[in-house]
Amino acid sequence: MPDLDPATTALLTVECQNGVVGEESALPELAKAARDSGMLDRVAALADAARRAGVQVVHAVAERRPDGRGANANARLFRAAGKLPVRQLSGTRAVEIAPPIVVAEQDLVVRRLHGLSPMAGTDLDALLRNVGIRTLVVTGVSSNIAIPNTVFDAVNLGYRVVVPADAIAGVPVSCTDEVIRNSLVLVASVVTTDELLRQWAAAAR
């Protein structure tokens, strides 16, 4: 377990929003995996512990304009998203952070209209650097696409990345273990939620 300096560490939640992992998800299988695995509860616990320890919490939200302007159409995934019964439309409940995760006053919320990663084409990198962040703890969904993209982008930008293996989810459930074992472990420090909670509890004392 790496020693994380709270002053230079941020916790990032990726697409932990109602329209993705909530009860009215456009992707019910992914929402079920996030809920049944305990991932959502762990992310909520990590966010609370991070704040108490002085770690910056950031929420990354994927959304679309009602007219779709500016959104990608260059992959099957993007075209399918526009046809789902629940769309991640700006300003709707679908793009609000899903319970039990809480957005506190001091948290940052970064929204994107295109792409596969909150690190690409948003102001996330600049915001993190402006508050002195060098280490990024990545949580959320999905281990199929957004999580690996976020991790790789952050590493390419010079951040040290930490991934709590039990605070990310994907479908099928086995995909998460495969991605961690074959990809993420090569570029990030893979830990558990409990390890992070213990370290942040000690930092908060």
Side-chain angles (χ1 to χ4, degrees), residues 4 9 14 47 49 52 67-68 70 77 98 110 112 115 157-158 163 167-168 180-182 189 196:
L4 306 181
T9 300
V14 178
R52 289 193 294 270
D67 62 7
L77 174 68
V110 175
R112 78 175 195 273
L157 288 168
V163 177
I168 63 173
I180 290 170
R181 182 169 59 250
N182 295 307
S189 296
L196 281 172

Short mmCIF file of all heavy atoms in Angstrom, two decimals, residues 4 9 14 47 49 52 67-68 70 77 98 110 112 115 157-158 163 167-168 180-182 189 196:
data_model
loop_
_atom_site.label_atom_id
_atom_site.label_comp_id
_atom_site.label_asym_id
_atom_site.label_seq_id
_atom_site.Cartn_x
_atom_site.Cartn_y
_atom_site.Cartn_z
N LEU A 4 0.07 7.71 0.93
CA LEU A 4 -0.55 8.79 0.16
C LEU A 4 -0.61 10.07 1.00
O LEU A 4 -1.20 10.08 2.08
CB LEU A 4 -1.97 8.40 -0.27
CG LEU A 4 -2.11 7.07 -1.03
CD1 LEU A 4 -3.56 6.84 -1.41
CD2 LEU A 4 -1.22 7.07 -2.27
N THR A 9 -3.25 14.25 -2.94
CA THR A 9 -4.03 13.11 -3.42
C THR A 9 -5.48 13.52 -3.64
O THR A 9 -6.04 14.28 -2.85
CB THR A 9 -3.97 11.95 -2.41
OG1 THR A 9 -2.61 11.54 -2.22
CG2 THR A 9 -4.79 10.75 -2.89
N VAL A 14 -15.89 7.94 -11.03
CA VAL A 14 -16.13 7.99 -12.47
C VAL A 14 -17.52 7.44 -12.79
O VAL A 14 -17.83 6.27 -12.49
CB VAL A 14 -15.06 7.18 -13.24
CG1 VAL A 14 -15.35 7.20 -14.74
CG2 VAL A 14 -13.67 7.74 -12.95
N ALA A 47 -15.26 8.30 -0.14
CA ALA A 47 -15.44 9.74 -0.26
C ALA A 47 -15.54 10.39 1.11
O ALA A 47 -14.93 11.45 1.36
CB ALA A 47 -16.69 10.04 -1.10
N ALA A 49 -14.33 9.23 3.99
CA ALA A 49 -13.03 9.14 4.65
C ALA A 49 -12.02 10.10 4.04
O ALA A 49 -11.20 10.70 4.75
CB ALA A 49 -12.50 7.70 4.56
N ARG A 52 -12.55 13.64 5.40
CA ARG A 52 -12.08 13.77 6.78
C ARG A 52 -10.57 13.85 6.85
O ARG A 52 -10.00 14.50 7.74
CB ARG A 52 -12.59 12.60 7.63
CG ARG A 52 -14.09 12.65 7.91
CD ARG A 52 -14.47 11.67 9.01
NE ARG A 52 -14.27 10.29 8.59
CZ ARG A 52 -15.20 9.55 7.98
NH1 ARG A 52 -16.39 10.06 7.72
NH2 ARG A 52 -14.94 8.31 7.66
N ASP A 67 -29.83 17.74 -27.85
CA ASP A 67 -29.68 17.64 -29.31
C ASP A 67 -28.47 16.83 -29.72
O ASP A 67 -28.21 16.63 -30.91
CB ASP A 67 -29.64 19.03 -29.94
CG ASP A 67 -28.46 19.87 -29.45
OD1 ASP A 67 -27.59 19.34 -28.72
OD2 ASP A 67 -28.40 21.07 -29.80
N GLY A 68 -27.71 16.34 -28.74
CA GLY A 68 -26.54 15.52 -29.03
C GLY A 68 -25.35 16.27 -29.58
O GLY A 68 -24.32 15.66 -29.90
N GLY A 70 -22.00 17.96 -30.18
CA GLY A 70 -20.69 17.83 -29.55
C GLY A 70 -20.35 16.43 -29.08
O GLY A 70 -19.21 16.17 -28.71
N LEU A 77 -20.50 2.20 -29.43
CA LEU A 77 -20.96 2.53 -28.09
C LEU A 77 -21.70 3.86 -28.05
O LEU A 77 -22.76 3.99 -27.43
CB LEU A 77 -19.75 2.57 -27.14
CG LEU A 77 -20.03 3.05 -25.71
CD1 LEU A 77 -20.89 2.03 -24.97
CD2 LEU A 77 -18.72 3.25 -24.98
N ALA A 98 -25.22 9.25 -7.78
CA ALA A 98 -26.14 8.26 -7.23
C ALA A 98 -25.88 8.00 -5.75
O ALA A 98 -24.73 7.92 -5.32
CB ALA A 98 -26.01 6.95 -8.00
N VAL A 110 -16.83 17.44 -12.40
CA VAL A 110 -16.37 17.67 -13.77
C VAL A 110 -17.30 16.93 -14.73
O VAL A 110 -17.54 15.73 -14.58
CB VAL A 110 -14.92 17.18 -13.96
CG1 VAL A 110 -14.48 17.32 -15.41
CG2 VAL A 110 -13.98 17.95 -13.04
N ARG A 112 -18.49 15.95 -18.79
CA ARG A 112 -17.98 15.85 -20.15
C ARG A 112 -19.10 15.51 -21.11
O ARG A 112 -20.03 14.77 -20.77
CB ARG A 112 -16.86 14.82 -20.25
CG ARG A 112 -17.30 13.37 -20.28
CD ARG A 112 -16.11 12.44 -20.49
NE ARG A 112 -16.50 11.10 -20.87
CZ ARG A 112 -16.78 10.13 -20.02
NH1 ARG A 112 -16.73 10.33 -18.73
NH2 ARG A 112 -17.12 8.93 -20.48
N GLY A 115 -16.33 11.63 -25.54
CA GLY A 115 -15.16 10.82 -25.21
C GLY A 115 -15.43 9.73 -24.20
O GLY A 115 -16.55 9.53 -23.73
N LEU A 157 -0.34 11.59 -18.24
CA LEU A 157 -0.20 12.99 -17.84
C LEU A 157 0.73 13.17 -16.65
O LEU A 157 0.94 14.29 -16.18
CB LEU A 157 -1.57 13.58 -17.52
CG LEU A 157 -2.47 13.83 -18.73
CD1 LEU A 157 -3.90 14.12 -18.28
CD2 LEU A 157 -1.92 14.98 -19.57
N GLY A 158 1.29 12.06 -16.14
CA GLY A 158 2.29 12.16 -15.09
C GLY A 158 1.79 11.93 -13.68
O GLY A 158 2.55 12.07 -12.72
N VAL A 163 -5.69 2.33 -7.68
CA VAL A 163 -7.01 1.77 -7.97
C VAL A 163 -7.40 0.81 -6.85
O VAL A 163 -6.77 -0.23 -6.68
CB VAL A 163 -7.03 1.02 -9.31
CG1 VAL A 163 -8.40 0.39 -9.55
CG2 VAL A 163 -6.66 1.95 -10.46
N ALA A 167 -13.55 -1.18 -5.57
CA ALA A 167 -14.33 0.05 -5.72
C ALA A 167 -14.47 0.44 -7.19
O ALA A 167 -14.70 1.60 -7.52
CB ALA A 167 -13.71 1.19 -4.92
N ILE A 168 -14.32 -0.56 -8.08
CA ILE A 168 -14.64 -0.39 -9.49
C ILE A 168 -15.51 -1.58 -9.89
O ILE A 168 -15.51 -2.62 -9.23
CB ILE A 168 -13.39 -0.30 -10.40
CG1 ILE A 168 -12.57 -1.58 -10.36
CG2 ILE A 168 -12.53 0.90 -10.00
CD1 ILE A 168 -11.41 -1.62 -11.36
N ILE A 180 -7.90 -5.74 -14.17
CA ILE A 180 -6.93 -5.43 -13.12
C ILE A 180 -5.67 -6.28 -13.29
O ILE A 180 -4.55 -5.75 -13.29
CB ILE A 180 -7.55 -5.66 -11.73
CG1 ILE A 180 -8.61 -4.60 -11.44
CG2 ILE A 180 -6.47 -5.63 -10.65
CD1 ILE A 180 -9.43 -4.89 -10.20
N ARG A 181 -5.87 -7.57 -13.44
CA ARG A 181 -4.73 -8.49 -13.48
C ARG A 181 -3.88 -8.32 -14.72
O ARG A 181 -2.63 -8.42 -14.66
CB ARG A 181 -5.24 -9.94 -13.38
CG ARG A 181 -4.12 -10.98 -13.36
CD ARG A 181 -4.63 -12.35 -12.99
NE ARG A 181 -5.65 -12.85 -13.92
CZ ARG A 181 -6.93 -12.99 -13.61
NH1 ARG A 181 -7.37 -12.66 -12.40
NH2 ARG A 181 -7.79 -13.46 -14.50
N ASN A 182 -4.50 -8.03 -15.85
CA ASN A 182 -3.77 -8.00 -17.11
C ASN A 182 -3.36 -6.61 -17.58
O ASN A 182 -2.52 -6.48 -18.48
CB ASN A 182 -4.60 -8.68 -18.20
CG ASN A 182 -4.80 -10.15 -17.94
OD1 ASN A 182 -3.85 -10.88 -17.71
ND2 ASN A 182 -6.05 -10.60 -17.93
N SER A 189 -1.05 1.39 -8.75
CA SER A 189 -0.98 0.63 -7.50
C SER A 189 -2.38 0.12 -7.21
O SER A 189 -3.31 0.90 -7.04
CB SER A 189 -0.50 1.53 -6.36
OG SER A 189 0.80 1.99 -6.58
N LEU A 196 -7.19 1.72 2.05
CA LEU A 196 -7.31 3.17 1.94
C LEU A 196 -8.02 3.76 3.15
O LEU A 196 -7.61 4.80 3.68
CB LEU A 196 -8.05 3.54 0.67
CG LEU A 196 -7.26 3.50 -0.64
CD1 LEU A 196 -8.19 3.72 -1.82
CD2 LEU A 196 -6.16 4.56 -0.63
#
